[in-house]
Amino acid sequence: MKRDILVATAMNYLGAKELDHKHRELVDVYNTLEPVPRGYYVTPADPWCAIFVSACIKLAGLDKALPTECSCTEMLLAYKTNPKFGTVVKEADPKLANLERGDLVFYGKSGSPANTSEHVGIVTNVLPSSWDTIEGNWRNGVNIRQHISKSWDGIKAYVKPNYPDEAWEKEKAEAKAWVVQNEIIKGDENGIDWSQYINLERLAVILKRLCT
C-alpha cells in the first residue's frame, strides 16, 4: 500500500542528523518538486520537519497526489481547504482519530491559532497503549517519537491522507453500492459477479436502467 511505502521511505532516513549528508539530500529532493511550493527553494538552514515529510512524499512517488510544503501551517491548510487530499481529524484522542501508519500528526503550541502548526510527523506504528511517529528536525535529526498520552493539547490535528490506491478502492466500493441501490446492475441468486465481462447487450440493459 502507498502509505506503507511512505513510512518505509521515511524510515530510510532514521538517524539522519541536522546538516549531515542525509539532511542535505532531503533539502535537495524538496527543491526538485515541480513546482516548488510557493516558489521558495529551501536551504539546510530552514526548519525542516515539513521538508522531511514532503521529500519523503516525493521519493515515494506521491507528490502528485498529496500536498507538499516547507511550512507546516501551509501543509495543514492544504488539507483543510482541499478535502480531495485527505481528512482532518480534530479529536485530541488518537483512538477517536483511528490512527493508522502513514497518517500525519500536526503539532502546535498551546493557545496558538487553530489554523497554524509548528511541527509535523508521520505515524509509523499504532499499539493499544501507544503510538509512534517519525519526525525530521526533532532532537536535531530524524527520530522516532513515542506517544503514551491519549490526548495532548500540543497536537493541532491528525490528518488521514487520501492515498491513491485507497481512494480508488473507496470510489469503487461507493460506485458498486450506488449501482446496486439504484438497480442499475442486478445479480442472480448468487449475487453479482463483479468480474463478469460486459458485452454490448448487457451494456444496453444497464444504460436503459440508468436512463429510465
Side-chain angles (χ1 to χ4, degrees):
M1 297 177 68
K2 298 293 186 181
R3 64 173 58 244
D4 294 318
I5 294 174
L6 177 62
V7 171
T9 301
M11 292 297 290
N12 285 335
Y13 287 90
L14 182 62
K17 300 298 182 184
E18 190 163 5
L19 299 181
D20 73 1
H21 71 284
K22 284 194 171 183
H23 174 206
R24 294 177 185 277
E25 180 180 295
L26 290 165
V27 169
D28 291 342
V29 170
Y30 181 91
N31 287 333
T32 65
L33 289 167
E34 296 180 356
V36 173
R38 294 179 293 131
Y40 178 73
Y41 289 84
V42 299
T43 73
D46 287 307
W48 53 286
C49 56
I51 294 172
F52 167 68
V53 172
S54 297
C56 291
I57 287 172
K58 168 71 173 179
L59 291 169
L62 295 167
D63 52 305
K64 301 305 181 185
L66 302 180
T68 51
E69 254 293 345
C70 61
S71 161
C72 299
T73 293
E74 293 294 332
M75 184 181 288
L76 179 57
L77 184 62
Y79 281 104
K80 285 188 171 184
T81 57
N82 296 282
K84 69 178 182 179
F85 291 139
T87 302
V88 178
V89 183
K90 297 180 180 179
E91 285 85 350
D93 188 337
K95 288 186 177 179
L96 296 178
N98 190 28
L99 283 180
E100 301 174 84
R101 281 166 53 88
D103 288 349
L104 303 181
V105 181
F106 287 86
Y107 306 86
K109 293 179 181 178
S110 178
S112 60
N115 287 330
T116 64
S117 174
E118 291 145 1
H119 192 63
V120 62
I122 303 169
V123 176
T124 59
N125 194 32
V126 181
L127 299 172
S129 59
S130 66
W131 50 286
D132 301 336
T133 50
I134 186 168
E135 302 172 13
N137 200 24
W138 191 65
R139 293 183 174 175
N140 296 317
V142 177
N143 290 292
I144 296 290
R145 187 200 299 230
Q146 186 177 58
H147 305 259
I148 303 297
S149 177
K150 292 182 179 178
S151 61
W152 179 40
D153 61 5
I155 294 176
K156 284 301 188 74
Y158 303 99
V159 168
K160 306 187 76 62
N162 283 337
Y163 289 94
D165 51 349
E166 295 172 1
W168 171 238
E169 291 301 322
K170 179 181 178 182
E171 185 176 2
K172 285 196 298 182
E174 291 174 347
K176 288 178 181 180
W178 184 83
V179 296
V180 171
Q181 180 181 354
N182 290 278
E183 298 186 336
I184 296 169
I185 294 179
K186 299 179 181 179
D188 54 25
E189 64 275 9
N190 296 317
I192 298 174
D193 179 4
W194 293 104
S195 64
Q196 188 178 50
Y197 174 75
I198 298 179
N199 58 27
L200 289 178
E201 287 182 340
R202 291 183 181 276
L203 179 61
V205 171
I206 290 173
L207 290 174
K208 180 177 181 295
R209 291 173 181 169
L210 181 63
C211 297
T212 57

